[in-house]
Amino acid sequence: MAQSQLRPPTMADVARLAGVSHQTVSRVLGDHPNVRDETRARVLHAIEEMGYRRNSSARALVTRRTRTLGVVASDTTLYGPASTLFALEEAARAEGYLVSTVSLRKLTVGTLSEALDHLSEGGVEGVVAIAPQRSAVEALAELRHPFPVVTVGSGPGVGIPCVNVDQHMGARLATGHLLAAGHRTVWHLAGPEDWQEAADRAAGWRATLEEAGVEPPMSLRGDWSPLSGYRAGQELAGWVGRGLTAVFVANDQMALGVLRALREAGVRTPQDVAVVGFDDIPESEFFAPPLTTVRQDFSAVGKRSIALLLDLIEGRDPAGTPRFAIEPQLVVRASTFPYTADPGAAPT
């Protein structure tokens, strides 16, 4: 039986096949510049021929680098956190890093402390925390950690480096779009009270109305689910004919529930009530009618977060506490045809 069938090939085996020293193979693997192109090609060919794979544990002992990043997350069944997690993993892989993820039911001081200890024992070089709830950010700020930490979704005003989509701007885009279409006011179905993103979207809605000289009507609150949107939509349907012609919903899943409740009440969208969502989930363009919504660039969030974390790991610390805001985009679809004062008129 051949030696290659008895055990995995080693660096010494590669060196022997390529006719070079063990140190030369090490330099090629480390991408050292002082290696002749011909020699580098011969070593790489030997590595491919033998199927050699570097021992990451041994490399970490020498370099003190594991090339592993940690992610702490909760609510990953929701579209936003799930999309953020995927984007982070994709961005980390593109930079040559593996990701170790800890998913928690709730982010508290206790659970976060255990998660960070677990990741520290696993040798991660830094951590991204998907922390959309204000309570989670406050808990994270109380903890000391042996590696850099970046938060996502935490909003401004935290003492931790963060990357966010500009939720305030997204709400302004949605509300401004409805006002520009001729609606005298815009109602709002907000997300859960503890979520920073929900608070920022509500603040952007309110500020846009106030700047237009419009007194904001009462807002309703849901829990991000279609069911909560459906129940709120039943309540909103009772205000049709009494000043309600447009609704900005804090996410697309709740907007789906609102659309169904309005339809069951005999309220037409957009002829009677225009509806705007937030997130641009893949299904939103297939709603009835297709949903106008605010698109979040999760890929940009992932790339920016990983780039920031690697800067901190490498000691390239930006001045102060770095904060980055990714601009959202309004996607206009059939749920907000230009408004007409005549509810019986056909949309243009």
Side-chain angles (χ1 to χ4, degrees), residues 18-317:
V20 298
S21 68
H22 180 281
Q23 290 80 2
T24 298
V25 176
S26 180
R27 291 192 187 99
V28 171
L29 291 172
D31 202 25
H32 197 284
N34 295 334
V35 179
R36 293 168 51 189
D37 290 343
E38 179 184 350
T39 302
R40 186 184 305 275
R42 194 162 71 249
V43 171
L44 291 175
H45 178 75
I47 288 172
E48 182 178 358
E49 182 177 337
M50 299 195 75
Y52 171 73
R53 296 292 181 268
R54 285 180 287 181
N55 186 317
S56 58
S57 298
R59 185 176 68 226
L61 288 173
V62 175
T63 65
R64 300 182 182 273
R65 299 292 299 272
T66 62
R67 300 196 70 80
T68 302
L69 305 177
V71 175
V72 178
S74 66
D75 295 298
T76 51
T77 57
L78 297 175
Y79 178 74
S83 299
T84 302
L85 176 58
F86 178 81
L88 289 169
E89 292 175 338
E90 190 173 53
R93 284 195 300 270
E95 294 293 337
Y97 282 77
L98 297 175
V99 172
S100 178
T101 302
V102 177
S103 294
L104 302 172
R105 288 187 177 275
K106 192 172 183 180
L107 300 180
T108 65
V109 171
T111 61
L112 281 168
S113 179
E114 290 179 4
L116 294 179
D117 286 346
H118 171 76
L119 292 170
S120 179
E121 291 172 0
V124 302
E125 298 182 28
V127 167
V128 179
I130 304 173
Q133 301 96 340
R134 287 189 292 255
S135 59
V137 181
E138 292 168 0
L140 192 60
E142 292 184 27
L143 299 173
R144 300 181 65 180
H145 31 77
F147 36 60
V149 173
V150 171
T151 65
V152 176
S154 58
V158 299
I160 304 173
C162 62
V163 177
N164 306 295
V165 172
D166 193 332
Q167 309 293 330
H168 197 273
M169 176 187 288
R172 283 182 170 274
L173 291 172
T175 308
H177 168 70
L178 291 168
L179 292 177
H183 297 276
R184 293 183 178 180
T185 190
V186 179
W187 292 56
H188 182 48
L189 172 55
E193 188 172 5
D194 187 41
W195 282 63
Q196 183 63 49
E197 293 175 343
D200 290 344
R201 293 171 196 178
W205 159 76
R206 185 175 299 276
T208 305
L209 291 180
E210 290 175 345
E211 289 175 7
V214 177
E215 179 69 23
M218 71 172 189
S219 64
L220 288 71
R221 191 173 295 280
D223 61 8
W224 299 132
S225 70
L227 177 59
S228 69
Y230 177 75
R231 289 170 175 165
Q234 292 175 315
E235 184 174 348
L236 291 168
W239 289 90
V240 176
R242 296 190 289 162
L244 172 65
T245 63
V247 182
F248 164 44
V249 185
N251 79 328
D252 290 352
Q253 284 96 341
M254 291 195 300
L256 176 61
V258 169
L259 288 172
R260 175 177 171 178
L262 293 177
R263 185 167 59 249
E264 290 180 355
V267 178
R268 299 172 299 168
T269 301
Q271 296 92 327
D272 302 324
V273 175
V275 178
V276 177
F278 206 108
D279 280 340
D280 192 28
I281 63 175
E283 298 85 1
S284 62
E285 64 178 309
F286 300 101
F287 287 2
L291 183 67
T292 294
T293 185
V294 177
R295 177 179 296 161
Q296 303 194 72
D297 190 343
F298 292 108
S299 177
V301 170
K303 291 177 182 177
R304 182 66 266 180
S305 300
I306 295 300
L308 174 57
L309 184 59
L310 294 182
D311 281 345
L312 297 173
I313 291 171
E314 298 289 348
R316 299 187 293 266
D317 295 18

